[in-house]
Amino acid sequence: EPEVTQTPSHQVTQMGQEVILRCVPISNHLYFYWYRQILGQKVEFLVSFYNNEISEKSEIFDDQFSVERPDGSNFTLKIRSTKLEDSAMYFCASSPLLEQYFGPGTRLTVT
Amino acid sequence: GESVGLHLPTLSVQEGDNSIINCAYSNSASDYFIWYKQESGKGPQFIIDIRSNMDKRQGQRVTVLLNKTVKHLSLQIAATQPGDSAVYFCAERAGANNLFFGTGTRLTVIP
């Protein structure tokens, strides 16, 4: 069964550094998403991406965040200058239309 | 704004019993709902979805009920097994394609 995959599983970075989180969505899906989950809290929407552009973004997704689909398979989330409060699990998801399938997540730790 | 909340943060059931997990939502414009299961250290796993033009939908051992009058969603798990132990989230979609998640209910199955 096809799955969304994410790398790395755990990323440790220093405050102010740039990080890139990588995702490979399910191959025939058209919609791609990033969510985050701070420890012990609920999953929060960051951004959705369709037809090679951002279709919606939340207030969390400020100028420090960007997404890219550099080729036909990868979908990346970049945080330009990380802050301590960016520490969270970051989940990528993809969907053919409605039902969203999530990857295993990348745990980002900012020190 | 939208909000999705769960009535009970924890639920313990005996193996073999049925489980009912509840969810309240506040946005009457929400037209699509999903239940996710999240095991420790993993991403949300799609369980079942329902559109707002339906009241009930059944899957394998799971049933989702939607009561639009009182904005209530429930997940019923039949013959609960130890492998069902996890945190369960409901999520709603209101217009756009992003999902708003509830805070989660931790289901513990007692062998």
Side-chain angles (χ1 to χ4, degrees), chain B residues 3-43:
Chain B
S3 71
V4 180
L6 295 175
H7 294 305
L8 296 174
T10 60
L11 176 65
S12 295
V13 298
Q14 289 290 139
E15 182 179 356
D17 287 352
N18 296 335
S19 303
I20 300 176
I21 301 171
N22 296 301
C23 178
Y25 64 95
S26 61
N27 190 339
S28 55
S30 294
D31 62 354
Y32 176 69
F33 305 87
I34 304 181
W35 279 101
Y36 285 97
K37 171 187 180 183
Q38 188 176 28
E39 296 172 281
S40 181
K42 297 184 179 179

